[in-house]
Amino acid sequence: MKIQIINGPNLNLLGVREKSIYGSADFNTYFNTLKERYPDHELTYFQSNKEGELIDKLHEIGFDYDGIVLNAGAYTHTSIAIADAIAAITTPVIEVHISNVYRRESFRHKSMLAANCKGVIAGFGLDSYRLALENFINL
Ligand code: DQA
């Protein structure tokens, strides 16, 4: 299967930013462990801090890949444009969050994206990505 992981703003700083919330592992190391664990699947990774680049990536792969695991960071809570992009493509998207957003500030309780996604996984640390990935792989 072809699965794309997409990380949005500030997630390039995983392992550096707010470690008590997001942990001390950097994403590239974690991504390599996922690739080693699932050698029979084509896993790719993209990160951008720019809303338009995230939308361009969804358009680029969203009619071809089997699944998209998306952590849109704070754009989750604000971006109608990313919600529209998810609705426009045919590849199913799973929304993920490292932290349990429902235990945090109330502005993080609202997702603009969730209604257009296959499902949402939040609060399992980096393991949230694996859980989403396995949903696609085990289909
Ligand atoms: C996050 C939660 C968001 O509220 C926050 O803006 C992030 C990361 C998470 O993975 O827990 O940047 O998506």
Side-chain angles (χ1 to χ4, degrees):
M1 276 191 151
K2 280 168 72 171
I3 314 281
Q4 174 81 49
I5 296 177
I6 301 178
N7 271 342
N10 301 306
L11 293 165
N12 53 312
L13 293 182
L14 285 175
V16 176
R17 82 182 273 219
E18 299 177 278
K19 289 184 191 178
S20 61
I21 300 173
Y22 299 114
S24 51
D26 78 275
F27 197 82
N28 285 317
T29 305
Y30 175 72
F31 180 63
N32 283 333
T33 65
L34 282 182
K35 282 202 298 190
E36 281 165 18
R37 189 165 172 160
Y38 298 107
D40 298 338
H41 297 280
E42 195 181 315
L43 307 183
T44 47
Y45 173 54
F46 176 77
Q47 189 276 332
S48 177
N49 294 318
K50 300 183 184 74
E51 188 176 23
E53 288 185 359
L54 296 169
I55 292 166
D56 285 345
K57 179 55 77 173
L58 289 167
H59 292 177
E60 178 193 322
I61 54 119
F63 297 90
D64 179 32
Y65 277 54
D66 300 300
I68 298 170
V69 177
L70 172 64
N71 185 348
Y75 285 139
T76 304
H77 316 299
T78 62
S79 180
I80 296 169
I82 294 176
D84 283 351
I86 294 168
I89 61 178
T90 53
T91 299
V93 176
I94 298 179
E95 175 184 324
V96 302
H97 299 286
I98 298 162
S99 64
N100 180 350
V101 284
Y102 301 102
R103 294 185 71 177
R104 302 181 63 194
E105 303 94 323
S106 58
F107 64 83
R108 296 185 204 277
H109 300 178
K110 173 73 185 164
S111 170
M112 304 300 288
L113 316 182
N116 294 342
C117 290
K118 182 180 183 192
V120 179
I121 296 171
F124 296 94
L126 290 180
D127 209 30
S128 294
Y129 294 88
R130 179 188 61 82
L131 293 167
L133 186 61
E134 288 184 357
N135 175 269
F136 287 128
I137 286 173
N138 294 330
L139 281 179

